[in-house]
């Protein structure tokens, strides 16, 4: 499952041969010969799968799984999840995304409104053209756009084994992190996590011989030991992500998590 997602991500996000150009599709390893025959030009690189809908933010998911129909959608995995989930689509996560209409409710911390709340939330927090306002990056808009095609693979891979809780792709996104995961799930904004920081990204990437991150990337992470709101989640600040990045092409064990 993991290897399929790796190859699908390479094909869609960066292509070949140099894995450098995320903005365009000029290295995507698929050629449109039909279009070239029509206009008399050379075949252009084009990804063959296109999604007309962006991957929704967690607070936008179509939560279709409940206690009455879970056997149809997730089978015996239902008890593994907290909060609303969707098998209609994945969900995407950037730092600071939130429902502008939500409010913090001290009387009902389990309410959807509390879970989707973020201080001073506006539509700018969810701006896909910038990657939000908490940790925007030049790369985020392209990752968010191309992630829609990765969603096509996630559901069948999830359904391939009842031992899978989540299928996902977790981008470094120039240090800010960006996650796409299936099933789509509502993130609990009343919870927190402890950051491990990103100094580990100074380590040499075993696949490229270059540092895993730049100084600018590392500065986009929260400090080591900081208690961080779940709506500023950055996978780079979790030990499981660090361990996987430092040991590519291996299976890493992590958790369980509360």
């Amino acid at each position: 499952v993991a290897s399929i997602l790796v190859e699908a991500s390479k094909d869609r996000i960066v292509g070949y041969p140099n894995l450098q150009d995320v903005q365009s599709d000029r290295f995507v390893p698929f050629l449109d010969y039909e279009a070239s025959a029509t206009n008399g030009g050379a075949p252009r690189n084009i990804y063959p799968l296109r999604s007309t809908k962006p991957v929704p933010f967690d607070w936008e998911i179509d939560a279709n799984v409940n206690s009455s129909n879970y056997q149809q959608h997730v089978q015996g995995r239902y008890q593994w999840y907290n909060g609303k989930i969707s098998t209609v689509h994945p969900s995407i996560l950037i730092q600071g995304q939130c429902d502008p209409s939500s409010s913090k409710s001290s009387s009902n911390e389990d309410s959807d409104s509390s879970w989707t709340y973020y201080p001073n939330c506006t539509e700018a927090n969810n701006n896909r053209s910038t990657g939000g306002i908490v940790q925007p990056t030049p790369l985020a808009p392209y990752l968010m756009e191309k992630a829609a095609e990765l969603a096509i693979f996630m559901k069948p891979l999830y359904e391939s084994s009842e031992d899978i809780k989540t299928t996902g792709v977790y981008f470094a996104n120039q240090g800010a992190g960006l996650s796409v995961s299936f099933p789509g799930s509502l993130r609990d904004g009343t919870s927190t996590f402890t950051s491990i920081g990103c100094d580990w990204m100074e380590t040499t990437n075993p696949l490229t011989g270059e540092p895993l991150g730049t100084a600018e990337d590392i500065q986009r992470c929260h400090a080591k030991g900081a208690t961080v709101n779940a709506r500023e989640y950055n996978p780079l600040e979790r030990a499981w992500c660090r361990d996987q990045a430092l040991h590519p092409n291996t299976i890493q064990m992590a958790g369980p998590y509360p």
Side-chain angles (χ1 to χ4, degrees):
V1 171
S3 62
I4 293 174
L5 272 180
V6 167
E7 291 305 314
S9 299
K10 287 179 180 179
D11 286 350
R12 181 64 198 103
I13 304 299
V14 289
Y16 299 88
N18 64 5
L19 308 182
Q20 294 297 317
D21 188 359
V22 174
Q23 287 84 349
S24 77
D25 284 346
R26 65 194 178 114
F27 293 124
V28 166
F30 305 95
L31 298 177
D32 186 356
Y33 286 97
E34 182 177 345
S36 66
T38 302
N39 59 32
R44 65 189 179 98
N45 296 66
I46 185 172
Y47 195 71
L49 301 176
R50 288 291 180 180
S51 175
T52 58
K53 295 182 179 180
V55 179
F57 294 118
D58 73 310
W59 56 273
E60 298 176 316
I61 64 170
D62 179 5
N64 67 317
V65 183
N66 55 52
S67 59
S68 299
N69 65 12
Y70 70 87
Q71 283 290 350
Q72 173 187 351
H73 297 292
V74 299
Q75 298 78 51
R77 294 172 278 196
Y78 185 62
Q79 61 183 352
W80 294 352
Y81 304 102
N82 295 319
K84 293 182 176 180
I85 61 172
S86 172
T87 58
V88 178
H89 44 233
S91 55
I92 201 163
L93 178 65
I94 59 174
Q95 290 195 49
Q97 70 183 46
C98 50
D99 182 353
S101 67
S102 65
S103 61
K104 188 174 183 178
S105 172
S106 59
S107 60
N108 187 5
E109 294 262 320
D110 292 328
S111 70
D112 288 353
S113 184
S114 291
W115 279 36
T116 60
Y117 170 81
Y118 186 80
N120 304 311
C121 177
T122 68
E123 293 295 344
N125 288 68
N126 309 307
N127 189 335
R128 293 176 183 266
S129 67
T130 62
I133 59 174
V134 173
Q135 284 293 353
T137 70
L139 195 58
Y142 301 101
L143 293 176
M144 298 179 79
E145 176 187 355
K146 295 185 177 189
E149 278 77 60
L150 294 182
I152 297 169
F153 298 94
M154 289 185 175
K155 182 169 184 175
L157 290 175
Y158 173 83
E159 292 179 339
S160 69
S161 172
E162 291 188 25
D163 291 328
I164 296 174
K165 180 180 180 182
T166 304
T167 58
V169 181
Y170 304 88
F171 298 102
N173 186 27
Q174 298 175 308
L178 189 154
S179 307
V180 185
S181 58
F182 184 94
S185 59
L186 184 64
R187 180 161 290 272
D188 180 5
T190 67
S191 65
T192 61
F193 71 95
T194 301
S195 171
I196 66 165
C198 289
D199 289 345
W200 63 270
M201 293 175 65
E202 296 175 346
T203 306
T204 299
N205 187 332
L207 297 179
T208 66
E210 301 291 333
L212 283 160
T214 66
E216 185 178 6
D217 294 343
I218 294 170
Q219 289 177 356
R220 287 194 174 102
C221 298
H222 299 92
K224 181 179 180 179
T227 299
V228 185
N229 182 277
R231 293 214 157 268
E232 293 183 14
Y233 185 80
N234 183 346
L236 298 175
E237 299 174 35
R238 305 298 282 161
W240 63 263
C241 181
R242 175 201 62 197
D243 295 345
Q244 189 66 68
L246 294 177
H247 303 89
N249 302 320
T250 65
I251 296 175
Q252 296 293 311
M253 305 297 293
Y257 298 105

